[in-house]
Amino acid sequence: MLKMGLPKEAAKHAMARDKMDPSILDLDPEKSLKSQLKPTEVQGSGDDDPPLKEDPKYEKYYKMLKMGLPKDAVKHAMVRDQQDPSILDLDPEKTLKSQQKPKEGEDGNDGPPLKDDPKYVKYYKMLKMGLPKEAAKHAMARDKMDPSILDLDPEKSLKSQLKPTEVQGSGDDDPPLKEDPKYEKYYKMLKMGLPKDAVKHAMVRDQQDPSILDLDPEKTLKSQQKPKEGEDGNDGPPLKDDPKYVKYYKMLKMGLP
């Protein structure tokens, strides 16, 4: 619309009519929306939820309140409908998502100190009992844990001491491919001397991805996969080319009254 020469206010009016945020047109059309939002806005607006009072899931309860029903009666109706009655204690002008507590790990709480981490606490107890660090490390290796953990600061969490790439790649503590229960048998076939192509054929037969064998067997699958969309720095098209907003920029270009 902007491309067609419409005044910005007319395009904004069209956006408001379509229940879109007209302030989008005040942003740089050459950049993506995500790159111009604050982190909290990106987190809170990920699915363009409506305000609670207009949310189809809760709208009827706000209508009950508008009709004069006591809040407790409306909450009772929500319980009957298996909905969370505490929703009515939130701001009806904001989305539910923007008022929810951040998920674990998003609020700066990146886990307990290593010495109190259930996964590693027993090894720190060994050290406390006077065992040499090398003995504790040997026990960790025996348990298929990373012994280098003991070289980190026990007063800090593991996540806070890992590089971002390590945090991303080790989020689920996957084993190396050669020890992954899903692929272990194929690496055993290779160890027995079977040609890689024969093992790949066996993988195809088992409906597994044969290209797995071209990866590093010493690393996890996850650490060698391409990052998901949005994790590689590509935060979307420029606003003027964004399918969601492109028509409004065309309105502005048209210049209609």
Side-chain angles (χ1 to χ4, degrees), residues 2-3 8 23-33 35-36 236-242 245-246 248-250 252:
L2 293 178
K3 267 188 180 178
K8 186 181 277 189
S23 68
I24 294 294
L25 293 185
D26 297 323
L27 300 179
D28 186 341
E30 300 295 333
K31 295 180 181 176
S32 72
L33 174 60
S35 69
Q36 299 180 75
L239 277 166
K240 65 176 184 176
D241 301 325
D242 191 316
Y245 305 111
V246 68
Y248 305 109
Y249 286 100
K250 284 183 179 174
L252 292 176

Side-chain angles (χ1 to χ4, degrees), residues 90-199:
L90 301 178
D91 186 340
E93 301 295 333
K94 296 180 181 177
T95 68
L96 173 60
K97 192 173 181 184
S98 69
Q99 300 180 76
Q100 286 176 322
K101 291 180 181 176
K103 293 177 184 174
E104 190 177 348
E106 289 179 0
D107 58 356
N109 177 14
D110 48 20
L114 275 169
K115 65 177 185 176
D116 300 326
D117 191 316
K119 200 169 177 183
Y120 306 111
V121 68
K122 71 175 182 178
Y123 306 110
Y124 286 100
K125 282 183 179 174
M126 289 179 185
L127 294 177
K128 205 169 182 182
M129 289 164 63
L131 266 73
K133 185 183 275 189
E134 288 310 312
K137 281 188 171 186
H138 180 74
M140 290 188 79
R142 184 195 64 216
D143 296 343
K144 296 187 181 176
M145 307 293 287
D146 179 4
S148 68
I149 295 294
L150 293 185
D151 297 323
L152 301 179
D153 185 341
E155 300 296 334
K156 295 180 182 177
S157 71
L158 173 60
K159 193 174 179 183
S160 69
Q161 299 181 75
L162 292 178
K163 295 175 185 174
T165 49
E166 291 176 314
V167 172
Q168 181 180 323
S170 64
D172 58 354
D173 298 314
D174 288 344
L177 275 170
K178 66 178 183 179
E179 295 170 12
D180 191 315
K182 198 170 178 183
Y183 306 111
E184 189 177 18
K185 69 176 181 179
Y186 305 112
Y187 286 100
K188 283 183 179 174
M189 289 179 185
L190 291 175
K191 205 169 182 181
M192 288 164 64
L194 268 73
K196 186 182 274 190
D197 285 338
V199 181

